[in-house]
Amino acid sequence: GESVGLHLPTLSVQEGDNSIINCAYSNSASDYFIWYKQESGKGPQFIIDIRSNMDKRQGQRVTVLLNKTVKHLSLQIAATQPGDSAVYFCAEKGGSYIPTFGRGTSLIVHP
Amino acid sequence: DADVTQTPRNRITKTGKRIMLECSQTKGHDRMYWYRQDPGLGLRLIYYSFDVKDINKGEISDGYSVSRQAQAKFSLSLESAIPNQTALYFCATSEGYGTDTQYFGPGTRLTVL
């Protein structure tokens, strides 16, 4: 039969605003975390990563924050642009070689 | 990422047909992966291979098989397609050391009628 997809969490922002996308992870043994961006019709693309021995890492217009106490990860995008509209996935890696992906958050940027 | 290519990009088939999805990479990576993506469900691992002689099942391998023909090629087969295999399929590669970041292909949209 036809499968019904779940609705993705959605974040709507105005162009130029800062965006914050959140992710909760479950495995306290995870020691490496990655953010991916997936534009419509494309595969996920690596944005930024962080190891568990860090709390913060900055890239170009993006910052990832890691709070191991509450097992929370966030991606901050500064001065959000229309080209940032996409689905954003967090992924975690622990003892396994294979990352576990979250469901994703859809970011919509309004001009 | 143009270094990871998938063919076909779109495929419509009927229940019971055998389907093969192909993945090629020019990144020189040893590790390759097949994922399935359904709306709102993220990426789920079907199979992965850490080198040419290595094949491992992922969390949703039932109904699928794979073949690692060479370091650069990893194909996914549906022996007898069923409608709930309608999904977006992604191939990925990783270098196998350091952070082992995965690089994804553009995806294959498969519809099983």
Side-chain angles (χ1 to χ4, degrees):
Chain A
E2 180 181 359
S3 62
V4 178
L6 301 174
H7 292 291
L8 279 180
T10 300
L11 175 65
S12 291
V13 300
Q14 290 296 128
E15 181 178 0
D17 287 351
N18 296 331
S19 302
I20 300 176
I21 300 170
N22 297 302
C23 178
Y25 64 94
S26 56
N27 186 356
S28 57
S30 292
D31 58 5
Y32 176 61
F33 304 88
I34 316 112
W35 279 101
Y36 285 91
K37 172 186 180 182
Q38 185 178 18
E39 296 175 274
S40 181
K42 297 183 179 180
Q45 284 186 296
F46 171 88
I47 303 174
I48 191 168
D49 58 2
I50 189 169
R51 289 194 178 278
S52 60
N53 61 354
M54 302 172 68
D55 297 323
K56 179 180 180 179
R57 191 169 187 212
Q58 288 184 294
Q60 187 177 12
R61 280 201 308 119
V62 294
T63 301
V64 55
L65 298 177
L66 175 62
N67 185 330
K68 295 181 288 293
T69 303
V70 295
K71 292 187 283 188
H72 184 267
L73 193 67
S74 68
L75 177 71
Q76 300 180 359
I77 304 173
T80 313
Q81 303 168 0
D84 295 326
S85 292
V87 175
Y88 291 81
F89 293 96
C90 65
E92 58 178 302
K93 283 174 74 171
S96 165
Y97 296 109
I98 311 296
T100 300
F101 288 84
R103 285 178 51 216
T105 296
S106 177
L107 175 65
I108 299 172
V109 182
H110 300 282
Chain B
D1 191 320
D3 297 323
V4 183
T5 57
Q6 293 183 232
T7 55
R9 293 294 313 277
N10 289 282
R11 181 73 185 266
I12 300 173
T13 190
K14 294 182 179 179
T15 298
K17 294 291 187 182
R18 184 179 187 275
I19 296 297
M20 179 180 287
L21 309 183
E22 301 192 7
C23 176
S24 294
Q25 53 114 345
T26 58
K27 299 186 79 67
H29 290 169
D30 284 327
R31 297 184 176 182
M32 298 186 74
Y33 311 78
W34 275 105
Y35 287 91
R36 168 179 172 157
Q37 185 177 41
D38 297 278
L41 290 180
L43 293 162
R44 293 186 291 167
L45 183 65
I46 306 173
Y47 271 96
Y48 62 101
S49 169
F50 281 177
D51 64 43
V52 175
K53 297 180 182 179
D54 177 73
I55 299 289
N56 303 281
K57 292 182 178 181
E59 62 177 295
I60 54 163
S61 59
D62 287 350
Y64 302 94
S65 63
V66 291
S67 174
R68 184 80 184 267
Q69 301 94 324
Q71 187 204 37
K73 296 185 182 297
F74 192 35
S75 60
L76 175 72
S77 293
L78 288 67
E79 296 300 325
S80 180
I82 55 177
N84 76 2
Q85 291 178 312
T86 293
L88 200 49
Y89 290 85
F90 288 103
C91 173
T93 74
S94 67
E95 53 205 353
Y97 57 88
T99 55
D100 201 27
T101 301
Q102 291 181 315
Y103 297 88
F104 286 82
T108 294
R109 183 170 297 281
L110 177 66
T111 303
V112 183
L113 302 176

